[in-house]
C-alpha cells in the first residue's frame, strides 16, 4: 500500500511540477522568484482545493453510510471507499508539495484495510488488534525499507496503547510477516535503495556524548513547540469556520496558500520526497547544500508550514516532516558546537561533522513528536548499520522523549488540580445563573463527552482504550436545565428543546431535586397513554404520579 501511495504521489508530483529537476527545492532556491512565484503559490493551493472538495464528498458518503447502517446490519460496501479516498487525498496533498509526509496516511490505510478484513472475518478483538498492528508495521517497513523498525512501530503505536503487549503469539507472527512482505514488495516496486542517502556516521570520542544529550533536549523542546503549534492551528481553523462561517472544504485551500507563501522564501518546506533531507545531510560537503544560518530558518519555517497544513485539513503524516526538522536542528547544533569548540580550542577536531548530529537529531525529533522512541532508535540503526551510533542515539532519544512527557504531565496535573478544586456537590442553580450554558461548554477548553488528550498519537486511539481511560469527571456534563415540578409536560419538552438537552432536573418548591425527566421517559409515558406531547398540558407532578419520572432521587 505504501508503494502504491508513493507511486501515485510521484505521478502527481511530476505532472504538477513538470520541468522541475529532481533537486526540487534546491533548484527552486537558485531561481529568480519572478520566474517561479506563480507555480510555488498555485500548485499547493490547487492541491488544497481538490482535497477540500474530497472532504465534502467524504461527508456526503458518511451521511449515506449512517443512513444505510440505521436501516439494518449487513456488509458495509462503503467501508472500502473511505480509505481509498483518503489515499487519493494524501497523494494530492503530497504531490502538490504541501508540507506533510506519506508515512501517516500509509499507516492509516493499512489499519483501514485491517479493519475491513476483521469485519469480513470473525469479529474477535484480539484478531482485529493483530490485523491493525500488522497494517501499521507494513506501512513503516515499506516506507523506510526497515522491517525491524516497522515491527517495533506496531508495538509502540498499536499494542501498547491498547494494552495488548501480551497478545497471543499469532499477533507477533502477523506483525513480523507483514513487515517482511511489505518491505520485500517495496523493494520490488520501488527498488532496493533507501529512503534517503545516509552518510557515514563518525563519533570522534566519548567526550562528544554530552553534546548529543544537549541535542536530545533541544529536539524535545522543538517537538513541544511543534505539537502545540499543530494544536493551535487546528483550533484556529475551527474558530474561523465557526466565527466567519467558512466552509470546511475551503480550509485545505487556505493551508495550501499558507504553505505556498512560506515556500516563496523557503522552498525547502515543500514536500519533495526525502530530497530535502538528503540536501541537509550534505551540509558542508556540497555547494548546493544550505548553510547553517539558512538551515535554522528552514527548520522554523518547516515547523510553521507543517502545523499549518495539518491544522487546515490537508491529508498527510508528521513522520517525514519530523525527520526533516530533526535533521535541520541537528545540523545547526552540530555546526554551532563545532565552531564554539574550535574557537575555544583552535585546531581541535573533537566534534564530528554536522551530518552526524543531523542523523541523531532526526531520530530524536521523530521519537519526541510521534512518541516512538524504540522505533526511532532501530530505524536509524537499520539505516546506518553502524553500532557506533547507538550510544549517542539512545541518549538523545531518551532525553528528547522525556522533555514533552514532563511538559504534558505538568499540564495534565494542573488541569486535574483545577477539576478537583471545583468538584463537589453543587446546588441546583437556575440556568440563568450559568450564563445560559447550553449542552456544550462555550469556554473553548473542554467539550462534553469528548476525550481530550495530548494529541501525541491520534492514530492509536481506539474506542476500547478511550472507555478504559476515560473518567466520569471528563465525560459528565455540568450544564443542566432545571424545571419546577408544577411545570406542564408541554413546557418541559419545550425547555429541553430550547436548551438542546436530552433531560431536565425536576425540583420541588424548595428547590430540592425530585428526579430527572428524559426524552425516553416521555416517549414511554405517551406510548402508554396514547397521547401527543404537544397537546399534553399535564403538570410534572401529575405525570410523576403516573410513574413518568422514573429516575427518582433516593
Amino acid at each position: 500500500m505504501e508503494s502504491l501511495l508513493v507511486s501515485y504521489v510521484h505521478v502527481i508530483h511530476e505532472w504538477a511540477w513538470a520541468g522541475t529537476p529532481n533537486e526540487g527545492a534546491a533548484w527552486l532556491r537558485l531561481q529568480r522568484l519572478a520566474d517561479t512565484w506563480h507555480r510555488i503559490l498555485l500548485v499547493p493551493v490547487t492541491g488544497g482545493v481538490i482535497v477540500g472538495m474530497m472532504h465534502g464528498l467524504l461527508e456526503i458518503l458518511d451521511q449515506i453510510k449512517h443512513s444505510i447502517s440505521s436501516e439494518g446490519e449487513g456488509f458495509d460496501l462503503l467501508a472500502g471507499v473511505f480509505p481509498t479516498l483518503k489515499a487519493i487525498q494524501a497523494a494530492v496533498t503530497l504531490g502538490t508539495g504541501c508540507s506533510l509526509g506519506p508515512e501517516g496516511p500509509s499507516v492509516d490505510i493499512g489499519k483501514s484495510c485491517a479493519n475491513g478484513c476483521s469485519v469480513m472475518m470473525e469479529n474477535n478483538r484480539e484478531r482485529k488488534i493483530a490485523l491493525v498492528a500488522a497494517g501499521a508495521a507494513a506501512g513503516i517497513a515499506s516506507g523506510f525499507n526497515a522491517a525491524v523498525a516497522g515491527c517495533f512501530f506496531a508495538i509502540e503505536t498499536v499494542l501498547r496503547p491498547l494494552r495488548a503487549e501480551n497478545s497471543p503469539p499469532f499477533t507477533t507472527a502477523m506483525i513480523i510477516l507483514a513487515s517482511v512482505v511489505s518491505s520485500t514488495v517495496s523493494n520490488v516496486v520501488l527498488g532496493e535503495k533507501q529512503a534517503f542517502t545516509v552518510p557515514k556516521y563518525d563519533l570522534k570520542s566519548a567526550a562528544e556524548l554530552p553534546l548529543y544529550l544537549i541535542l536530545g533536549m533541544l529536539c524535545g523542546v522543538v517537538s513541544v513547540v511543534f505539537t502545540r503549534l499543530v494544536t493551535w492551528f487546528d483550533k484556529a481553523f475551527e474558530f474561523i469556520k465557526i466565527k466567519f462561517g467558512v466552509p470546511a472544504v475551503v480550509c485545505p485551500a487556505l493551508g495550501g496558500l499558507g504553505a505556498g507563501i512560506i515556500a516563496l522564501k523557503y522552498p525547502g518546506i515543500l514536500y519533495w520526497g526525502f530530497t530535502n533531507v538528503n540536501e541537509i545531510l550534505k551540509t558542508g560537503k556540497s555547494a548546493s547544500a544550505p548553510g547553517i544560518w539558512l538551515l535554522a530558518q528552514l527548520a522554523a519555517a518547516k515547523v510553521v508550514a507543517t502545523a499549518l497544513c495539518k491544522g487546515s485539513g490537508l491529508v498527510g503524516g508528521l513522520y517525514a516532516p519530523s525527520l526533516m526538522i530533526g535533521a535541520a536542528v541537528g545540523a545547526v547544533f552540530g555546526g554551532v558546537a563545532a565552531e564554539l569548540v574550535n574557537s575555544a580550542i583552535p585546531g581541535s577536531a573533537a566534534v564530528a561533522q554536522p551530518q552526524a548530529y543531523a542523523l541523531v537529531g532526526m531520530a530524536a525529533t521523530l521519537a519526541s513528536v510521534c512518541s516512538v522512541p524504540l522505533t526511532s532508535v532501530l530505524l536509524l540503526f537499520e539505516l546506518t548499520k553502524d553500532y557506533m551510533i547507538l550510544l549517542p542515539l539512545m541518549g538523545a532519544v531518551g532525553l528528547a522523549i522525556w522533555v514533552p512527557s514532563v511538559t504534558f504531565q505538568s499540564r495534565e496535573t494542573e488541569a486535574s488540580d483545577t477539576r478537583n478544586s471545583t468538584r463537589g456537590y453543587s446546588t441546583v442553580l437556575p440556568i440563568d445563573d450559568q450564563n445560559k450554558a447550553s449542552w456544550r461548554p462555550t469556554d473553548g477548553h473542554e467539550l462534553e463527552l469528548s476525550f481530550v488528550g495530548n494529541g501525541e498519537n491520534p492514530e492509536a486511539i481506539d474506542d476500547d482504550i478511550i472507555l478504559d481511560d476515560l473518567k466520569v469527571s471528563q465525560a459528565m456534563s455540568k450544564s443542566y436545565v432545571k424545571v419546577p415540578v408544577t411545570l406542564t409536560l408541554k413546557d418541559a419538552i419545550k425547555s429541553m428543546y430550547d436548551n438542546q438537552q436530552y433531560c431536565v432536573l425536576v425540583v420541588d418548591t424548595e428547590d430540592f431535586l425530585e428526579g430527572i425527566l428524559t426524552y425516553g421517559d416521555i416517549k414511554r409515558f405517551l406510548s402508554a397513554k396514547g397521547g401527543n406531547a404537544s397537546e399534553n398540558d399535564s403538570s410534572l407532578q401529575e405525570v410523576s404520579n403516573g410513574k413518568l419520572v422514573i429516575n427518582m432521587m433516593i
Side-chain angles (χ1 to χ4, degrees):
M1 190 62 69
E2 168 79 15
S3 303
L4 290 175
L5 178 61
V6 171
S7 300
Y8 291 144
V9 170
H10 285 169
V11 170
I12 297 173
H13 206 280
E14 290 177 1
W15 176 80
W17 299 94
T20 305
N22 292 333
E23 291 80 8
W27 180 83
L28 289 172
R29 190 172 66 248
L30 300 176
Q31 304 305 305
R32 292 174 61 247
L33 186 60
D35 298 331
T36 59
W37 70 268
H38 54 285
R39 266 185 109 174
I40 294 176
L41 275 180
L42 291 178
V43 172
V45 171
T46 303
V49 170
I50 296 173
V51 171
M53 293 171 62
M54 296 187 71
H55 275 322
L57 177 61
L58 284 171
E59 290 181 3
I60 296 173
L61 292 176
D62 189 54
Q63 294 176 1
I64 296 174
K65 179 182 177 182
H66 284 302
S67 64
I68 293 175
S69 61
S70 63
E71 293 176 1
E73 295 185 359
F75 183 71
D76 189 2
L77 295 176
L78 290 176
V81 176
F82 288 93
T84 303
L85 291 179
K86 281 290 184 182
I88 296 174
Q89 285 183 305
V92 172
T93 297
L94 302 175
T96 53
C98 296
S99 182
L100 291 170
E103 287 73 28
S106 68
V107 171
D108 289 339
I109 294 168
K111 290 182 179 180
S112 299
C113 294
N115 279 323
C117 293
S118 68
V119 171
M120 291 186 291
M121 299 168 63
E122 181 184 356
N123 190 15
N124 182 281
R125 183 176 184 269
E126 290 184 348
R127 183 165 296 179
K128 179 180 178 181
I129 291 174
L131 288 170
V132 171
I140 291 298
S142 61
F144 294 100
N145 194 16
V148 178
C151 293
F152 277 85
F153 176 82
I155 293 172
E156 288 188 301
T157 62
V158 179
L159 299 186
R160 182 180 296 170
L162 293 177
R163 299 193 180 98
E165 298 96 328
N166 297 323
S167 298
F170 76 85
T171 302
T172 305
M174 289 182 66
I175 292 173
I176 294 174
L177 288 175
S179 295
V180 172
V181 171
S182 64
S183 184
T184 304
V185 172
S186 179
N187 287 338
V188 172
V189 176
L190 301 177
E192 296 186 5
K193 64 178 182 179
Q194 294 177 330
F196 44 84
T197 304
V198 180
K200 180 176 175 56
Y201 179 75
D202 184 23
L203 179 65
K204 294 294 184 179
S205 67
E208 270 192 291
L209 289 177
L211 293 178
Y212 284 105
L213 298 181
I214 297 173
L215 173 60
M217 297 187 69
L218 177 61
C219 291
V221 172
V222 170
S223 74
V224 170
V225 174
F226 184 30
T227 304
R228 290 189 176 181
L229 202 56
V230 170
T231 304
W232 186 87
F233 271 112
D234 187 60
K235 292 181 179 179
F237 276 101
E238 287 296 326
F239 175 79
I240 291 173
K241 286 187 284 188
I242 296 172
K243 184 72 174 179
F244 302 102
V246 176
V249 296
V250 177
C251 290
L254 296 178
L257 177 62
I261 293 173
I262 297 173
L264 291 175
K265 177 68 174 176
Y266 304 103
I269 63 102
L270 295 172
Y271 176 77
W272 223 280
F274 285 101
T275 303
N276 297 333
V277 176
N278 283 329
E279 288 296 321
I280 295 174
L281 293 177
K282 295 177 183 177
T283 301
K285 294 187 176 182
S286 172
S288 62
I292 297 299
W293 173 238
L294 180 58
L295 277 180
Q297 299 176 55
L298 183 60
K302 185 68 174 179
V303 167
V304 175
T306 304
L308 174 63
C309 290
K310 191 68 174 177
S312 68
L314 289 165
V315 180
L318 300 178
Y319 300 95
S322 298
L323 289 173
M324 180 179 170
I325 293 168
V329 171
V332 171
F333 179 85
V336 172
E339 290 184 6
L340 292 176
V341 171
N342 288 334
S343 63
I345 310 174
S348 173
V351 179
Q353 293 292 324
Q355 291 84 352
Y357 291 88
L359 286 173
V360 175
M362 290 167 63
T365 306
L366 175 64
S368 189
V369 171
C370 303
S371 297
V372 285
L374 295 178
T375 303
S376 301
V377 171
L378 287 169
L379 176 62
L380 261 292
F381 177 67
E382 281 192 273
L383 293 176
T384 59
K385 298 180 176 64
D386 191 343
Y387 281 98
M388 293 291 291
I389 199 175
L390 277 179
L391 281 180
L393 187 60
M394 294 174 66
V397 167
L399 283 175
I401 202 74
W402 172 76
V403 172
S405 66
V406 171
T407 304
F408 289 122
Q409 184 178 10
S410 62
R411 291 178 63 192
E412 290 172 0
T413 302
E414 292 174 2
S416 177
D417 292 342
T418 303
R419 285 194 298 267
N420 290 335
S421 64
T422 59
R423 186 177 298 137
Y425 296 100
S426 58
T427 57
V428 180
L429 300 176
I431 191 75
D432 293 336
D433 294 342
Q434 301 178 45
N435 297 321
K436 297 182 184 275
S438 63
W439 67 293
R440 288 177 183 266
T442 56
D443 56 5
H445 296 294
E446 292 181 343
L447 289 178
E448 179 182 338
L449 294 178
S450 294
F451 179 73
V452 182
N454 57 21
E456 290 182 358
N457 191 17
E459 292 90 353
I461 292 178
D462 184 82
D463 290 342
D464 294 327
I465 194 64
I466 290 178
L467 294 178
D468 286 343
D469 291 345
L470 194 62
K471 296 180 176 60
V472 174
S473 60
Q474 294 173 277
M476 73 177 184
S477 172
K478 295 182 181 179
S479 301
Y480 51 82
V481 177
K482 179 193 70 172
V483 295
V485 73
T486 56
L487 193 70
T488 64
L489 181 58
K490 178 179 177 181
D491 290 336
I493 295 173
K494 183 178 183 302
S495 179
M496 295 166 71
Y497 179 80
D498 291 342
N499 293 280
Q500 301 183 21
Q501 294 279 356
Y502 289 99
C503 66
V504 291
L505 305 184
V506 182
V507 297
D508 59 14
T509 55
E510 296 181 0
D511 222 26
F512 286 106
L513 188 62
E514 284 282 338
I516 302 172
L517 176 66
T518 68
Y519 272 128
D521 298 331
I522 296 172
K523 289 179 180 179
R524 285 188 289 271
F525 174 79
L526 294 178
S527 62
K529 296 293 183 180
N532 189 336
S534 61
E535 299 175 357
N536 200 313
D537 291 328
S538 302
S539 69
L540 295 184
Q541 181 68 52
E542 297 171 355
V543 175
S544 177
N545 292 335
K547 305 299 182 184
L548 169 61
V549 186
I550 59 174
N551 302 306
M552 301 298 293
M553 302 300 293
I554 300 177

